Amino acid sequence: MTEKEIQFGEKGQLAGSLSFPETSPVALPAILIIAGSGPLDRNGNGTKKGQMLHLYNQLAACLTECGFVVLRYDKRGTGKSSGDFIKTGFWDLIDDAKAAVHFLRDQPIVDRNKVFILGHSEGCMLAPEVAKGEDIQGLIFVAGAAQSLADAQNYQRELIVDSFQKTKGLKGKLIRLLNVTDKVKKQGQKFDRKVSMTKRDVIRYQGVKINAKWFREHYEHDVYQSLAEVTCPILAVTGSKDVQATPEQVYEVKKYTTVETETHIIKGMNHMLRDQDEDANILHLKKVYKSIGEKPLSKELLTVVKRWLDRHV
């Protein structure tokens, strides 16, 4: 595998990596990886200490071994990309991903008629919009299919409330005494109202800077209508131990689109695409994700993706 540092977008403000097999006598099919939410670089690693996930570099290596050219990139304001991440909205992310598609298609080693998009988490919400008018060969949704940001947040809040209610012992008694579950629900509703009503790009909520523009544009976008407008085949995969996106929602893809669609729930896989031995508990994410970047991606996930790609190339 060869990996090349690249720059693209308006004034070359976006930086990324182009991975491809060392030698090939013909142009190859290509895949653009669209990252999940948060200030993630091209490898899926965050700007905060300890957020070393190594998601997208592992995916790129696997897909390149299968004979694909793969592009992954640093989001605005992360890694080597310029810009301010906290002022980056939903439609800014769409523009950046479209610029990545155009750059990828223009590479001499790429077969222009065989470009795919793989979206992870938030990338699943972005991919249908990115694909519009781009003649994409196929979409791969991983850990986030057929779910809006608002619905994903409600799912997470419900899991938090449920976990609190099941807490036993002295801690459980304190949770009930302080009425923590009701406070969680009210805080979520208060947050949603605040980011929806403001016209500012950045606000402070409980002393923390929040990208209100990103939340507001997500809330206003109809991800389900966007999904209905997809014109290429879809593969949607999630894990049974995903506590950040509803696993069963993956089956809903077929409800919103008329294109050829394949769906899977990988038993034991979590949101970071790794096999998880621990129980699925949203309150224990920090413990579960600690050092997760050192673990390999789910073999079953990679098998499913490879098999689907083989059929569509």
Side-chain angles (χ1 to χ4, degrees):
M1 183 181 83
T2 299
E3 191 164 280
K4 183 171 69 173
E5 186 84 11
I6 54 96
Q7 286 184 295
F8 64 96
E10 186 179 351
K11 298 180 181 179
Q13 81 275 28
L14 296 172
S17 293
L18 193 69
S19 306
F20 48 93
E22 287 188 358
T23 57
S24 176
V26 296
L28 299 170
I31 299 175
L32 169 66
I33 296 177
I34 303 180
S37 61
L40 301 176
D41 66 13
R42 70 191 74 180
N43 296 328
N45 297 329
T47 56
K48 293 181 180 179
K49 185 178 179 181
Q51 289 185 323
M52 303 300 289
L53 305 175
H54 294 305
L55 270 172
Y56 310 130
N57 49 340
Q58 286 201 44
L59 269 174
C62 174
L63 296 170
T64 304
E65 288 177 4
C66 296
F68 289 81
V69 178
V70 183
L71 173 59
R72 64 191 197 278
Y73 59 95
D74 302 327
K75 289 186 176 182
R76 298 187 191 188
T78 72
K80 296 181 180 179
S81 291
S82 60
D84 191 344
F85 177 78
I86 202 168
K87 294 181 180 179
T88 302
F90 173 86
W91 293 107
D92 295 322
L93 295 172
I94 296 293
D95 290 342
D96 291 348
K98 277 186 171 287
V101 169
H102 299 162
F103 175 86
L104 187 57
R105 185 169 278 137
D106 286 342
Q107 300 310 299
I109 57 173
V110 170
D111 183 338
R112 295 176 59 86
N113 298 314
K114 293 181 181 178
V115 175
F116 296 80
I117 295 176
L118 186 154
H120 170 247
S121 192
E122 184 195 9
C124 299
M125 306 171 197
L126 302 175
E129 281 294 327
V130 176
K132 285 184 179 179
E134 300 296 345
D135 193 24
I136 298 300
Q137 184 80 4
L139 297 180
I140 302 173
F141 300 144
V142 183
Q147 191 162 41
S148 67
L149 177 65
D151 288 340
Q153 286 179 300
N154 288 334
Y155 169 66
Q156 293 170 22
R157 290 166 184 167
E158 289 170 2
L159 290 181
I160 291 171
V161 168
D162 185 61
S163 295
F164 277 143
Q165 290 174 338
K166 291 179 179 178
T167 302
K168 299 179 180 179
L170 178 61
K171 187 176 181 180
K173 289 181 180 179
L174 284 172
I175 287 172
R176 287 182 282 276
L177 180 65
L178 298 173
N179 204 16
V180 172
T181 54
D182 282 347
K183 290 180 179 178
V184 169
K185 294 177 183 177
K186 290 178 181 178
Q187 284 177 358
Q189 294 168 355
K190 180 182 177 182
F191 176 85
D192 291 344
R193 285 196 302 271
K194 188 165 185 176
V195 295
S196 296
M197 293 177 67
T198 184
K199 294 183 179 180
R200 296 167 57 189
D201 289 348
V202 181
I203 63 172
R204 283 193 176 273
Y205 182 77
Q206 296 182 348
V208 179
K209 279 188 175 182
I210 299 294
N211 186 339
K213 176 185 178 183
W214 179 78
F215 280 102
R216 186 171 60 249
E217 290 181 352
H218 256 292
Y219 291 170
E220 293 171 351
H221 176 63
D222 189 341
V223 68
Y224 306 104
Q225 177 59 38
S226 181
L227 187 59
E229 296 173 14
V230 171
T231 58
C232 60
I234 294 173
L235 170 65
V237 190
T238 192
S240 66
K241 291 190 176 181
D242 193 332
V243 294
Q244 293 174 258
T246 313
E248 293 75 19
Q249 195 70 16
V250 73
Y251 297 132
E252 296 295 298
V253 176
K254 294 181 179 180
K255 179 190 295 185
Y256 297 105
T257 183
T258 58
V259 300
E260 176 194 336
T261 303
E262 183 178 325
T263 57
H264 297 268
I265 294 181
I266 307 296
K267 186 176 181 180
M269 188 178 77
N270 61 27
H271 193 70
M272 297 306 161
L273 315 184
R274 268 70 173 213
D275 296 326
Q276 178 176 317
D277 296 327
E278 300 90 342
D279 291 336
N281 189 321
I282 196 167
L283 300 182
H284 298 161
L285 279 187
K286 188 173 181 180
K287 178 183 177 182
V288 172
Y289 290 171
K290 184 179 180 181
S291 303
I292 199 168
E294 299 171 10
K295 299 178 180 179
L297 300 182
S298 164
K299 288 184 178 180
E300 186 175 351
L301 167 70
L302 298 179
T303 298
V304 167
V305 171
K306 288 177 183 177
R307 190 171 58 223
W308 185 86
L309 286 168
D310 282 344
R311 289 205 312 271
H312 290 87
V313 173

